[in-house]
Amino acid sequence: SRFETCWPALMKDSHGVIIIFNPELPSHLKEIEMWYSCFVQQQPLLDSQCLLVAHHKPGSAGDTENLSLAYPLNKIKLIHSNLEDDPEDVRMEFMKYFKSIIAFIDESREREEMSIIS
């Protein structure tokens, strides 16, 4: 990828990664493994700091129930988005994800402060 030189700057101090892909493109299913490897495993971030979003284009016959991803992607929270349907579910999932990241940052900061004190 021509942007690979920018990746270290993008990754620096990041607390979460959201990977959005088109589940109907086989090439995307291969690519998300690479994104996961670079942006999650090599950082390293926890799987709980990562969110996968399978985005279905309007009019696509996307089978949202039977998308099975191989290990290690199958350990990550996966949500399906389809803007034709009620987007409220997706918004709720995003809010849950952001709250979990904020909680993680708060915990990390507290641990850091305790280690400085002790």
Side-chain angles (χ1 to χ4, degrees):
S1 164
R2 59 196 165 149
F3 297 117
E4 274 181 56
T5 51
C6 306
W7 288 2
L10 286 172
M11 290 190 257
K12 185 176 172 6
D13 299 330
S14 65
H15 294 288
V17 173
I18 299 174
I19 300 172
I20 302 172
F21 65 100
N22 181 342
E24 284 143 58
L25 292 181
S27 62
H28 273 207
L29 297 178
K30 288 295 324 151
E31 277 175 36
I32 56 174
E33 289 177 18
M34 182 266 296
W35 291 112
Y36 173 77
S37 168
C38 292
F39 280 84
V40 181
Q41 286 179 313
Q42 288 174 32
Q43 292 233 59
L45 293 178
L46 301 172
D47 288 334
S48 60
Q49 290 170 273
C50 183
L51 178 67
L52 291 176
V53 181
H55 184 66
H56 300 269
K57 288 185 170 173
S60 66
D63 183 355
T64 58
E65 299 308 309
N66 293 323
L67 178 63
S68 57
L69 298 171
Y71 180 87
L73 296 172
N74 60 4
K75 301 183 299 169
I76 299 168
K77 174 83 177 157
L78 168 69
I79 65 171
H80 292 270
S81 72
N82 179 344
L83 300 181
E84 282 183 315
D85 296 343
D86 182 12
E88 193 55 35
D89 284 353
V90 175
R91 193 185 5 242
M92 292 293 294
E93 290 293 351
F94 267 105
M95 291 308 293
K96 260 195 272 183
Y97 171 71
F98 288 128
K99 281 178 183 165
S100 73
I101 295 294
I102 291 164
F104 179 83
I105 294 167
D106 287 344
E107 279 169 30
S108 302
R109 197 171 291 140
E110 273 175 34
R111 273 199 305 271
E112 226 168 81
E113 286 167 3
M114 290 310 289
S115 68
I116 292 167
I117 292 165
S118 56

